[in-house]
Amino acid sequence: MDLDELRRRALLVHDLYDELNRQEHGRVWTREEFMLGFMGDAGDLAKLVLAQEGARTSRPDAQAALEHELADCLWSVLILAHRYDIDLENAFVRTVDELGKSISARLE
């Protein structure tokens, strides 16, 4: 599956959340609320990574939970990029290229 397909599927769920939030709360989430949701997911991911590394108590479904939180974080990044009209693919390629050049220059 490529990034366009991931983005398309993420937006389908985004639209369902919008519909649910309109029905239950009379409004949709703001960009700030999506960011806060992402921060919560990132915190959950951090706890799972710590558990995987033995710094926290692990849980029986640790691998499945880690997969779920990584996917949640990816979903949030895709939605935030959409909400801020960011071409994530181009931004990623540009950023990774810049990092690669910067790191390579420091290694020389």
Side-chain angles (χ1 to χ4, degrees), residues 20-108:
L20 181 64
N21 283 323
R22 273 190 203 96
Q23 181 179 320
E24 291 182 350
H25 307 289
R27 67 180 193 84
V28 298
W29 274 20
T30 64
R31 295 187 297 190
E32 295 88 349
E33 288 167 317
F34 273 105
M35 185 61 213
L36 289 172
F38 172 58
M39 295 305 299
D41 290 336
D44 291 341
L45 176 61
K47 291 174 189 172
L48 290 167
V49 167
L50 288 171
Q52 287 280 24
E53 299 305 319
R56 290 180 67 101
T57 303
S58 190
R59 40 193 271 192
D61 65 339
Q63 186 66 25
L66 185 59
E67 291 173 6
H68 176 88
E69 287 308 326
L70 283 166
D72 272 352
C73 287
L74 178 58
W75 180 83
S76 293
V77 168
L78 291 168
I79 295 307
L80 286 164
H82 168 74
R83 288 288 195 105
Y84 282 96
D85 198 27
I86 303 287
D87 182 335
L88 193 56
E89 188 170 1
N90 285 334
F92 179 84
V93 169
R94 189 173 54 252
T95 299
V96 169
D97 286 349
E98 290 168 1
L99 287 170
K101 288 176 187 173
S102 174
I103 294 166
S104 293
R106 291 176 63 188
L107 289 171
E108 293 175 359

